[in-house]
Amino acid sequence: MSDDLTPTYTEKGKPFERDMDYIGDRVLAGERSSDPHDAEYGGRDDVQVWPVQPGRYRLVAAPACPWANRSIIVRELLGLTEVISLGKPGPTHDKRSWTFDRDPGGRDPVLGIERLQEAYLNRFPDYPKGITVPAIVDVETKQVVTNDFPWITHDLFFEWREHHRPDAPDLWPEDLREEMEQVMKRVFTEVNNGVYRCGFAGSQEAYDAAYDRLWAAMDWLEERLTDRRYLMGEAITEADVRLFTTLVRFDPVYHGHFKCNRNKLTEMPALWGYARDLFQTPGFGETVDFEQIKAHYYVVHSDINPSGIIPKGPELESWRTAHGRERL
């Protein structure tokens, strides 16, 4: 067994394919999902149900990671900060795990662990897959509950409703559900995952195909957002949360590091205004840590950036400039 703990992300000659096989357990308010459209869960034997219980769980979510960032945003938007605590691993890690190296003593102050891997191994001693964020961890047993990131934010909305703040946004509006699911699917496959398909491509052909798919989707989004404030119309939904975490990383990371460089986000008027609009909305911008974002990608992805040098740019102050989207 190799002692090399340097992670690798590209496989020579092959396109990047994301492994979506996560721990599928759910934290539910009852025995079944509270979402009437949730055909995914029907009391399956391979899914354990954990009860909604304030104070029982810790959301472990690294600010550097876009998949984790979305769960941090949803927790803020719904007012669950006093109900589910938040642990923040640092931005860099090796093959073994995300670590709490920025916490006092290098340990999570609630779970007392140095590596998120410990929570996984506490439950699955022979856990064979990657240690990912976000993860829900049971505080008492220090065992991972789930790392299935699309369902984590879904269930924060549908299952924890009794604990939402009174003016929490409706992130999953019933009248827009069918269209929103289609929009979110395209955003995930072509944009959220599309930038990784470019960055982790193992051949020129794989990169070229990924690049073309990404920019077809970006042009579609630019057109869609030209005459509507948010993806689904006049109000923020889960679809906006999912798109935002990619857009906020686009110019600092994906444009150069992942070679998504047809143009910058700042050169797309609708998308750039939309991204600033969300950034300046409570619950979004304060969850973004550009220093950690850049440290993660440029240091951890050593097969893409072997020097480990973190670029100083781009300029980021313009994220706080007027966006003018209120008039749409």
Side-chain angles (χ1 to χ4, degrees):
M1 183 177 177
S2 173
D3 292 328
D4 184 6
L5 296 176
T6 304
T8 55
Y9 296 90
T10 59
E11 190 171 356
K12 189 172 179 59
K14 294 186 178 181
F16 170 70
E17 294 185 13
R18 183 171 299 280
D19 182 356
M20 291 294 290
D21 183 19
Y22 295 99
I23 302 167
D25 286 10
R26 303 278 294 278
V27 179
L28 303 181
E31 293 184 0
R32 291 178 174 271
S33 173
S34 300
D35 176 8
H37 298 277
D38 182 4
E40 177 76 14
Y41 177 72
R44 300 200 324 260
D45 292 338
D46 61 332
V47 173
Q48 180 176 332
V49 172
W50 300 66
V52 165
Q53 192 175 99
R56 177 169 178 172
Y57 307 103
R58 188 158 177 80
L59 172 63
V60 178
C65 170
W67 318 105
N69 194 179
R70 67 165 66 171
S71 66
I72 299 173
I73 292 170
V74 169
R75 174 179 171 270
E76 290 282 343
L77 292 176
L78 299 178
L80 294 172
T81 56
E82 301 299 318
V83 178
I84 303 171
S85 66
L86 177 64
K88 295 182 178 181
T92 59
H93 59 80
D94 57 25
K95 275 185 178 180
R96 289 173 293 178
S97 178
W98 295 83
T99 66
F100 297 95
D101 55 295
R102 295 198 173 192
D103 285 311
R107 292 182 179 272
D108 179 85
V110 171
L111 299 173
I113 59 178
E114 293 181 345
R115 293 177 172 274
L116 179 57
Q117 183 185 47
E118 295 176 50
Y120 281 69
L121 298 180
N122 285 342
R123 184 168 176 207
F124 305 107
D126 299 318
Y127 190 74
K129 300 174 72 64
I131 307 301
T132 65
V133 289
I136 299 287
V137 178
D138 182 56
V139 173
E140 183 177 356
T141 64
K142 301 179 184 179
Q143 294 183 351
V144 67
V145 172
T146 179
N147 63 342
D148 200 341
F149 68 89
W151 288 105
I152 287 175
T153 53
H154 172 281
D155 290 346
L156 288 179
F157 178 76
F158 283 101
E159 307 301 329
W160 292 81
R161 277 181 164 172
E162 183 181 341
H163 307 285
H164 291 181
R165 60 181 172 85
D167 58 344
D170 181 1
L171 296 179
W172 293 76
E174 174 64 28
D175 60 331
L176 299 173
R177 183 65 181 271
E178 183 176 356
E179 182 188 3
M180 191 175 90
E181 293 276 13
Q182 295 172 353
V183 168
M184 290 194 302
K185 182 178 181 179
R186 187 170 184 184
V187 165
F188 170 71
T189 59
E190 306 305 300
V191 181
N192 299 148
N193 203 40
V195 293
Y196 284 87
R197 201 181 291 114
C198 290
F200 294 161
S203 71
Q204 187 68 50
E205 293 76 17
Y207 166 75
D208 289 347
Y211 180 96
D212 291 343
R213 285 178 61 178
L214 169 67
W215 285 106
M218 291 289 280
D219 288 339
W220 162 69
L221 288 166
E222 177 73 8
E223 182 179 358
R224 184 179 181 91
L225 289 164
T226 296
D227 59 1
R228 67 179 80 196
R229 186 171 182 182
Y230 304 113
L231 278 176
M232 302 311 302
E234 298 178 359
I236 290 171
T237 65
E238 170 94 6
D240 298 299
V241 176
R242 296 185 178 197
L243 178 56
F244 172 79
T245 59
T246 296
L247 295 184
V248 82
R249 288 161 175 77
F250 200 90
D251 287 3
V253 175
Y254 302 144
H255 178 271
H257 183 59
F258 277 179
K259 307 178 183 70
C260 303
N261 60 353
R262 189 192 75 179
N263 54 258
K264 296 178 181 178
L265 178 69
T266 55
E267 295 167 345
M268 303 186 79
L271 271 170
W272 174 225
Y274 163 82
R276 299 201 315 281
D277 188 0
L278 291 176
F279 184 87
Q280 295 167 30
T281 298
F284 284 84
E286 65 265 33
T287 73
V288 176
D289 188 321
F290 286 116
E291 181 266 328
Q292 291 200 44
I293 288 169
K294 291 200 291 184
H296 169 68
Y297 286 93
Y298 288 103
V299 173
V300 172
H301 298 162
S302 56
D303 51 343
I304 300 174
N305 185 43
S307 71
I309 293 172
I310 303 170
K312 283 189 173 184
E315 171 277 319
L316 298 167
E317 287 304 312
S318 55
W319 277 95
R320 304 189 184 281
T321 60
H323 51 76
R325 301 284 293 178
E326 304 95 339
R327 295 187 293 274
L328 291 179

